Amino acid sequence: MSWRRPSSLALGLAFLTSLSAAANIEVTVGKDSKLEFNPASIKAQIGDTITYKFFSKNHAVAQSTFADPCHIQDNGIFSGFTPNASPDVAAPTDFTITVNDTKPLWFYCPQTNGNHCQSGMVHAINAPDTGNTFDAYKAKAQQAATPSTPPVGTLPVGGLRKLHIDVGANGQLMFSPNNVTELVGTVVEFSYNPANHSIVQSSFDKPCQPIDRPGGGFVAPFVPTQQSPSGVTFEVTLTNGDPIWFYCAQTKKSHCQSGMVGSINAATTGDKTFQAFQGLAAKAPPSTIGSDAPLVGALKVNGTFIGDLGGTVLDTTTLNDPSLGSNIPPPNMTYPPYIGGMAGGNQPANYNWSASISDEAVAILQALQYIDNFIVVLLLDGYNQMSQGAWTNVYPGSITQTLGSLVAQSLIHRRTYTDSLQHFGKDVVSVCAKYDTADALKDVDTWLETVLTGLHLSLGATLDALSALAISDPWTTPALATGLGSQARMSALVNMMQNHVAAAAPREVLIPTSLATSYIASHYAQDSSCAPPSKAKTFPALVIKDKTIQPDTNRVTAITVEVPSGTTGGLFIAWLGPWGGLSYTSVDATTSTAAVPNTLSGHVWAVLTNKDGVKADDLDTVTVAGPEIMWVSQQWSVSDL
């Protein structure tokens, strides 16, 4: 059996394609009163989503086989019928499907009033250019037997049917739309607008009060915001066709009593219509909301799921708040829900601290916090550029979201050090007033390289800390070790974004904390506020002037370094490779060139020393300059795609 080794570039592109390159394609259904899908035939890739927007009359999207147009196939996709009186304003309900393979998909509108399918209202995804083409499918549809199936009232299947309701749009005290009829299985998405609204389910008889029944009803919190759209949504899924009544519980200006109420599947006649509900609300006592939210539905901020708030007001602080980097929270304070949501959780409820802490542990935790202070600020600056600055359109939203998770997780990681230091009454490390990050932020690629370096610093220094504190302060082991996984996964992501394999070595590289803090100080410290914690050493940056690369393998075989002025005696490069790997090569006195050990792979650290054979624990006693990170090679050579 022969194996074809993909290049690192191929791996990176394949990964990013699956993760982020998926497109959303919008198709209008019946716009301008025409019996047509527009575009009628499209090409889509695996992972792409297709969203259907419905216009005048009463249309639906149904899947057939090529051989039998106008009749839904077994287990076929169906959107449900979506009535809309407007020829040019889309219905508030749309339908989205995900493309799972590139096989042809055939669709039609099954409306029998006017025989839409037989009138040519058909649609295709990935139709062949020859043979069973879109035109051939359309011709078959025009000859298809009537009636089309399925009938009106059939429930949606095979996609996401979503009803969009705006909350307080354009400053109005109303839900838009506020009275709708919808199918079971539809997801209702409420989108918050300024200024401070909530969404609470009630009964018909008691508007403006939470519904009193076993299990309660849905409750979405107050969201104080001046952003429109705010990025905050609340979703509930219709599990039956019973009428649903809801309101805004804001008592300022009496929103519910002022008509800010809504209904889904209310009767159109009789004594329990939407108009009757609105009339009862106008005479209702002051609104209430209960003590906790969200309940029953799903609250999201910019797509990130938010769990329990511990109250009924959402703190809308996001990663775009610059104070997140410089403010060190007290141990008992949690970050706003969006931060915890992006991170996938908050700081531990219990660190299992011991009764005391050793001086060495204090120094190491301060060093780790110093490293993470830089990483947090660097990540926040770059993320803001990606989410709302000059790099906004460089990467798809899913990549920005993923990097946002890295930012949030870094904030949580830093809490391990700051919470522990404060718990024992020790000083935390103030955040540098201003790092020299102009070069790091000159473009997104350089920023990613710097982020990767920061992650390797944090990973390596944490490994050193685990080794040093395992006996004296055993509580630090789980507290520190459990953060390594997310950082390693994120470094793998950034590796692949730079067209490197995700994991080029079997273990992470350990780097002494003293060298890790020195790296940040020598590269990014602008003044004394950026100096490392007290007693930490700072060495000059190691300047690698040139690299010798073996063409056939793309492996770095030698480097030429800049020797700091005034340095005398023999010099060496200490190579810090995957954990357990420390080797030395001599620096040529004439050319300042040192060989790179051929056993190394991936990212390694180079340190200029005045002595060889020294263990990693004592490396700072012989360091002349450094450390400096560099990519050596990977398991196989890079080949053209």
Side-chain angles (χ1 to χ4, degrees):
M1 178 180 293
S2 62
W3 293 89
R4 179 181 180 273
R5 286 176 171 173
S7 70
S8 61
L9 180 58
L11 285 170
L13 291 178
F15 175 78
L16 290 177
T17 297
S18 64
L19 178 69
S20 64
N24 176 258
I25 303 170
E26 186 174 295
V27 176
T28 61
V29 185
K31 190 174 183 181
D32 298 326
S33 299
K34 297 177 181 178
L35 298 185
E36 67 178 20
F37 293 84
N38 189 13
S41 181
I42 60 176
K43 299 293 185 181
Q45 302 299 316
I46 295 173
D48 287 353
T49 54
I50 319 297
T51 298
Y52 296 92
K53 301 284 189 177
F54 299 95
F55 292 83
S56 57
K57 299 184 179 177
N58 189 2
H59 300 292
V61 180
Q63 182 184 9
S64 76
T65 62
F66 176 86
D68 189 18
C70 308
H71 304 103
I72 193 163
Q73 71 175 54
D74 290 342
N75 302 313
I77 295 168
F78 181 59
S79 66
F81 281 91
T82 308
N84 181 10
S86 174
D88 52 16
V89 178
T93 299
D94 55 34
F95 185 72
T96 300
I97 64 172
T98 300
V99 177
N100 296 318
D101 56 49
T102 56
K103 295 177 182 178
L105 298 174
W106 310 100
F107 297 96
Y108 62 98
C109 175
Q111 178 59 256
T112 57
N113 185 3
N115 293 325
H116 291 192
C117 178
Q118 292 80 358
S119 298
M121 194 171 182
V122 295
H123 169 65
I125 301 173
N126 294 328
D129 295 329
T130 59
N132 291 345
T133 64
F134 170 73
D135 289 339
Y137 176 67
K138 184 174 182 178
K140 289 178 72 69
Q142 291 170 329
Q143 302 300 317
T146 58
S148 299
T149 59
V152 172
T154 304
L155 299 182
V157 64
L160 174 63
R161 182 180 172 94
K162 182 176 283 189
L163 166 64
H164 301 266
I165 297 179
D166 277 320
V167 182
N170 301 316
Q172 297 181 329
L173 299 185
M174 66 178 298
F175 295 94
S176 304
N178 56 10
N179 180 29
V180 293
T181 300
E182 259 305 341
L183 297 171
V184 173
T186 299
V187 173
V188 182
E189 180 186 78
F190 296 90
S191 296
Y192 282 88
N193 291 277
N196 190 2
H197 300 292
S198 64
I199 309 150
V200 186
Q201 185 177 0
S202 75
S203 63
F204 175 85
D205 298 324
K206 294 183 178 180
C208 312
Q209 306 296 317
I211 191 169
D212 182 13
R213 68 178 185 189
F218 60 77
V219 178
F222 290 104
V223 179
T225 180
Q226 295 303 315
Q227 300 295 320
S228 183
S230 67
V232 182
T233 60
F234 182 71
E235 296 179 355
V236 293
T237 301
L238 302 183
T239 57
N240 57 56
D242 296 343
I244 294 175
W245 315 95
F246 54 91
Y247 65 98
C248 172
Q250 179 61 258
T251 55
K252 185 178 181 180
K253 296 186 178 180
S254 302
H255 289 195
C256 179
Q257 294 79 0
S258 297
M260 195 168 182
V261 296
S263 66
I264 300 172
N265 294 331
T268 57
T269 60
D271 57 359
K272 289 191 175 183
T273 63
F274 167 72
Q275 291 74 18
F277 178 65
Q278 198 171 40
L280 285 175
K283 300 177 287 185
S287 304
T288 60
I289 189 174
S291 59
D292 199 15
L295 297 176
V296 179
L299 180 68
K300 299 180 181 179
V301 178
N302 297 328
T304 297
F305 176 75
I306 305 298
D308 181 46
L309 301 181
T312 58
V313 180
L314 173 66
D315 183 339
T316 54
T317 300
T318 68
L319 293 173
N320 300 121
D321 185 343
S323 69
L324 287 170
S326 56
N327 291 343
I328 304 297
N332 59 352
M333 191 200 89
T334 58
Y335 278 117
Y338 177 70
I339 308 300
M342 284 289 283
N346 237 302
Q347 70 270 24
N350 185 359
Y351 289 92
N352 291 315
W353 288 303
S354 62
S356 61
I357 186 172
S358 69
D359 291 342
E360 184 180 21
V362 172
I364 287 176
L365 290 177
Q366 289 174 337
L368 293 174
Q369 191 214 326
Y370 176 77
I371 296 167
D372 270 26
N373 280 350
F374 169 72
I375 293 174
V376 165
V377 171
L378 175 71
L379 285 169
L380 284 169
D381 286 347
Y383 178 77
N384 284 332
Q385 291 276 38
M386 293 187 72
S387 61
Q388 59 182 21
W391 306 339
T392 301
N393 297 316
V394 173
Y395 286 111
S398 55
I399 283 289
T400 302
Q401 190 90 342
T402 301
L403 291 171
S405 294
L406 171 57
V407 183
Q409 288 173 1
S410 295
L411 287 165
I412 302 301
H413 289 154
R414 188 173 64 171
R415 291 293 297 269
T416 302
Y417 321 129
T418 60
D419 287 356
S420 299
L421 289 167
Q422 291 177 94
H423 171 78
F424 290 106
K426 306 300 181 181
D427 292 336
V428 296
V429 181
S430 298
V431 179
C432 176
K434 183 171 176 59
Y435 292 103
D436 183 10
T437 56
D439 287 341
L441 294 168
K442 66 182 180 182
D443 58 60
V444 68
D445 290 330
T446 305
W447 175 70
L448 282 172
E449 290 178 7
T450 311
V451 167
L452 188 59
T453 298
L455 289 171
H456 281 292
L457 282 171
S458 184
L459 284 164
T462 302
L463 290 174
D464 184 46
L466 288 167
S467 300
L469 302 178
I471 302 300
S472 63
D473 300 82
W475 65 268
T476 62
T477 298
L480 299 179
T482 50
L484 292 173
S486 64
Q487 287 190 319
R489 288 189 292 271
M490 285 299 182
S491 67
L493 169 66
V494 180
N495 263 337
M496 300 191 82
M497 293 174 72
Q498 295 185 309
N499 298 325
H500 292 152
V501 292
R507 299 179 187 273
E508 300 296 337
V509 179
L510 182 150
I511 181 170
T513 54
S514 59
L515 294 183
T517 56
S518 175
Y519 181 91
I520 292 174
S522 63
H523 285 74
Y524 304 107
Q526 283 204 149
D527 52 39
S528 59
S529 73
C530 298
S534 60
K535 299 181 181 180
K537 299 178 181 178
T538 301
F539 303 101
L542 175 60
V543 178
I544 299 176
K545 299 168 61 177
D546 194 19
K547 299 176 183 177
T548 302
I549 300 176
Q550 185 174 327
D552 57 337
T553 64
N554 214 37
R555 170 178 286 278
V556 180
T557 58
I559 61 171
T560 301
V561 300
E562 184 176 287
V563 177
S565 60
T567 303
T568 59
L571 295 174
F572 306 86
I573 294 294
W575 298 98
L576 291 162
W579 181 83
L582 171 60
S583 55
Y584 290 81
T585 57
S586 60
V587 178
D588 186 274
T590 303
T591 63
S592 300
T593 299
V596 178
N598 60 15
T599 56
L600 296 177
S601 181
H603 284 99
V604 300
W605 291 96
V607 184
L608 183 65
T609 68
N610 56 25
K611 188 177 180 180
D612 65 351
V614 177
K615 294 181 178 180
D617 291 347
D618 300 318
L619 198 56
D620 60 352
T621 64
V622 297
T623 296
V624 175
E628 190 61 48
I629 195 170
M630 57 180 286
W631 177 265
V632 175
S633 185
Q634 57 193 34
Q635 297 96 319
W636 50 78
S637 61
V638 177
S639 61
D640 294 333
L641 286 174

